[in-house]
Amino acid sequence: VNQNLSNQYPIRKIKIFRDIFWHIITLVILGILLSLIVIWQGDISEVLRDEYKTTSLVVTALIFTVFLILTLFDAIRIAYKIYFLSFYSDKNSLMFKQGKIEYVIPFHRILDIRIDQKFIDKLFGLYNLYIITEYMNNKVVQLSGLYKNDCEELKKIILDSMIRNTSSNKERSNK
C-alpha cells in the first residue's frame, strides 16, 4: 500500500519566494546601481549624447533586464517543481516523482537522513531533509521548503520503515 507523503508533508509555497529572494536582492542592487549611474552622469539628455556614458547605462540596463528575466524563469521553474513533486512510501521503498521522472529508493539503500537549515531558510522558518543513498552513485535526494516538525516526522517514518524492512529481510534470510 503506497502512502502519499507529499499530501501529509507538503513543500511550502513560500519556498518559491525563498528561492528567488537572492534574485530580488540582486535586482534591487542593480536598480540602485542603474539609478546611481544616471545621477552620477548628470542630465539624461547629456548622457545620451556621450557615447561612453550611454554604453555604460545600456550595459547596466541590459544586465538588470537579464536578471529580471532569469528571476521570472527561476520562479516558474521552482513553482513547477513544487507543483509536480510527489513522494510516496511503501513497505520496501521511497518513491519520488517529479513530472515524468521517477526515483525509487529501496529502504535498505538509504545511508543517512539529515535535517538542515541554511541561513536564508532561517528567515522563512523552512528546513531541508536530505536522504543520502548508496543507490544511483550515492545520490542525495533533497526535500527543501518543509517545516521542522514535518522534516522530523518524515525522518521518523523513513527510519521506522528502514528498521522494519531490515528486520523483515533478516527474518527471511534466517528461514
Side-chain angles (χ1 to χ4, degrees):
V1 178
N2 285 353
Q3 181 182 7
N4 186 341
L5 298 172
S6 52
N7 286 343
Q8 290 175 284
Y9 307 102
I11 304 296
R12 304 301 167 180
K13 305 299 185 251
I14 196 165
K15 179 187 180 315
I16 296 169
F17 183 73
R18 184 211 67 185
D19 285 353
I20 63 168
F21 182 73
W22 291 115
H23 290 293
I24 292 169
I25 298 233
T26 304
L27 286 173
V28 168
I29 291 170
L30 285 173
I32 291 169
L33 180 64
L34 187 61
S35 301
L36 289 175
I37 287 173
V38 170
I39 291 169
W40 175 66
Q41 293 186 349
D43 184 25
I44 193 72
S45 60
E46 183 183 311
V47 169
L48 294 176
R49 277 189 247 125
D50 184 344
E51 188 176 317
Y52 172 75
K53 291 179 180 179
T54 303
T55 304
S56 65
L57 184 64
V58 169
V59 167
T60 307
L62 283 174
I63 292 171
F64 181 81
T65 305
V66 166
F67 269 94
L68 180 62
I69 291 168
L70 288 175
T71 299
L72 292 173
F73 279 125
D74 204 32
I76 292 167
R77 179 188 62 82
I78 293 163
Y80 174 83
K81 284 178 77 173
I82 289 173
Y83 184 74
F84 288 106
L85 174 68
S86 57
F87 45 102
Y88 303 85
S89 76
D90 63 15
K91 66 180 187 173
N92 297 318
S93 59
L94 276 174
M95 291 147 294
F96 297 89
K97 189 170 183 181
Q98 179 83 52
K100 294 181 180 183
I101 300 169
E102 186 171 344
Y103 299 106
V104 178
I105 302 171
F107 286 120
H108 69 276
R109 299 282 189 162
I110 295 175
L111 298 174
D112 195 12
I113 303 167
R114 295 186 184 146
I115 297 173
D116 186 19
Q117 186 181 41
K118 296 182 176 145
F119 171 73
I120 194 165
D121 294 327
K122 292 179 183 180
L123 298 173
F124 298 99
L126 299 174
Y127 288 78
N128 305 307
L129 180 75
Y130 297 94
I131 302 166
I132 296 99
T133 71
E134 64 178 33
Y135 191 57
M136 300 182 296
N137 297 329
N138 292 340
K139 176 135 178 101
V140 176
V141 176
Q142 177 183 347
L143 293 173
S144 60
L146 296 167
Y147 290 141
K148 185 176 185 174
N149 60 336
D150 289 348
C151 281
E152 289 170 348
E153 288 178 29
L154 271 170
K155 182 176 180 177
K156 184 180 181 325
I157 288 170
I158 295 168
L159 288 173
D160 290 347
S161 297
M162 288 170 59
I163 291 167
R164 275 196 309 275
N165 192 283
T166 304
S167 61
S168 66
N169 284 344
K170 284 182 183 177
E171 287 174 12
R172 275 189 245 134
S173 65
N174 288 338
K175 289 183 182 182

